[in-house]
Amino acid sequence: MIILIGNGLIILVTKVSGVLHTPMYFFLGNFSFLEICYTSVTVPNMLTNLWTHERSISFLVCAIQLSFLLILEGAECLLLAVMAYDHYVAICKPLYYPLIMNRQVCLLLVVDSWTTRIPVMIGQTYQIFSLPFCNSNKLNHVFYDIAPLLKLTSSDTSLIEFSVYVVAALFVMIPFIMIIRSYIKIITTILKLPSNMENYKAFSTCSSHLIVVILFFGSATITYSRPKSNNSGETDKALSLFYTVVTLVFNPIIYSLRNKDVIDALK
């Protein structure tokens, strides 16, 4: 409920308040909508399973949900990189900001963030679900992710695991490197500003985004870079819940409490 209400309010105020009709809040509104979609892929089914104890799912529905999960994860990585680039242009090239971040460019960046990964993720999902699942039909996880699904197959998964790492490098590591590069330039520019007040004002505009980046990429990195063992199932489930649910609860709180314009618009 916090995720739905918090992100819904952010979408509402960015649409209604004229003060927030800027590229930064246009990206924030899209990010909030993405958070709602991302949550809707995993949480409703998870809550249904906990409430009814009916934990079965059809093969096709499982494939569709995994495909949407992967697409939205990639979109979140790309959209976070786009938001970092927006902050970089606003702070490092303020005079050129209206020219660089015009409406057409903003729309193109958002559309690319949402759609770029779709063909790749559909292909990867098809590749995974083309494997023979003979070992078991019981998934030891709280939602449908690649690693627990591959444990159920009886065939060699080394090629698919390699393709997963390649896709992760393209759609996770490259956006993360772009975010780091943007913030290095932002910090370098802020340190050159004459007064401490200007330093604080400049950095406060991107501090919320930086916290969200650390929470999302940090928790996902810990989850997928841990050494795998036979006894890591419960820990993996807890970590997966953290980056798919807990961080999404924090995000609207962070953006609302640390942003004066959003607070004023909400009032």
Side-chain angles (χ1 to χ4, degrees):
M1 292 304 296
I2 292 172
I3 295 169
L4 294 176
I5 294 171
N7 285 294
L9 283 173
I10 289 176
I11 293 170
L12 181 65
V13 296
T14 54
K15 291 292 183 183
V16 172
S17 176
V19 179
L20 304 184
H21 289 173
T22 62
M24 182 174 74
Y25 294 107
F26 172 70
F27 294 134
L28 179 57
N30 275 273
F31 183 73
S32 296
F33 180 66
L34 175 62
E35 299 273 87
I36 292 174
C37 295
Y38 189 44
T39 308
S40 301
V41 172
T42 56
V43 174
N45 190 71
M46 194 188 308
L47 294 176
T48 302
N49 291 340
L50 291 170
W51 181 260
T52 64
H53 298 284
E54 175 59 40
R55 299 179 182 182
S56 62
I57 186 170
S58 70
F59 194 73
L60 178 61
V61 174
C62 184
I64 292 171
Q65 290 198 354
L66 177 65
S67 180
F68 274 107
L69 181 70
L70 296 177
I71 290 168
L72 292 170
E73 280 181 352
E76 183 156 2
C77 294
L78 293 171
L79 196 53
L80 285 171
V82 167
M83 293 169 76
Y85 175 71
D86 176 67
H87 291 316
Y88 156 72
V89 177
I91 293 173
C92 301
K93 300 182 179 181
L95 297 178
Y96 294 97
Y97 183 77
L99 182 65
I100 296 173
M101 302 304 293
N102 60 64
R103 182 172 178 80
Q104 186 176 357
V105 170
C106 292
L107 285 172
L108 183 63
L109 289 171
V110 167
V111 171
D112 283 347
S113 298
W114 278 91
T115 61
T116 300
R117 203 177 181 185
I118 290 176
V120 178
M121 289 301 96
I122 291 175
Q124 192 166 71
T125 303
Y126 176 78
Q127 189 180 27
I128 291 168
F129 281 88
S130 297
L131 295 171
F133 291 93
C134 308
N135 292 340
S136 173
N137 64 347
K138 295 181 180 179
L139 191 71
N140 184 26
H141 212 265
V142 289
F143 59 88
Y144 323 102
D145 209 351
I146 294 176
L149 279 168
L150 291 180
K151 290 180 182 178
L152 303 183
T153 183
S154 56
S155 63
D156 181 25
T157 61
S158 56
L159 183 61
I160 291 181
E161 289 176 1
F162 176 74
S163 70
V164 169
Y165 285 122
V166 170
V167 171
L170 287 173
F171 294 103
V172 179
M173 288 307 299
I174 290 178
F176 184 67
I177 291 169
M178 291 170 62
I179 292 170
I180 296 298
R181 185 170 176 268
S182 296
Y183 275 106
I184 288 172
K185 292 189 175 184
I186 287 170
I187 293 170
T188 303
T189 302
I190 289 173
L191 292 175
K192 293 177 182 179
L193 294 176
S195 67
N196 291 330
M197 182 59 68
E198 289 182 0
N199 292 348
Y200 175 79
K201 185 178 179 180
F203 193 73
S204 66
T205 61
C206 52
S207 59
S208 300
H209 175 263
L210 187 57
I211 294 170
V212 170
V213 167
I214 292 170
L215 282 173
F216 178 76
F217 282 98
S219 57
T221 301
I222 292 170
T223 302
Y224 288 106
S225 63
R226 290 175 61 254
K228 301 300 177 184
S229 66
N230 294 330
N231 299 321
S232 63
E234 298 304 315
T235 306
D236 287 343
K237 282 187 271 188
L239 288 170
S240 298
L241 282 173
F242 186 83
Y243 83 86
T244 56
V245 179
V246 178
T247 57
L248 272 64
V249 172
F250 289 147
N251 290 351
I253 298 172
I254 292 168
Y255 274 115
S256 59
L257 293 181
R258 295 185 58 84
N259 192 305
K260 185 178 181 296
D261 292 334
V262 173
I263 292 173
D264 291 342
L266 283 170
K267 289 179 181 178

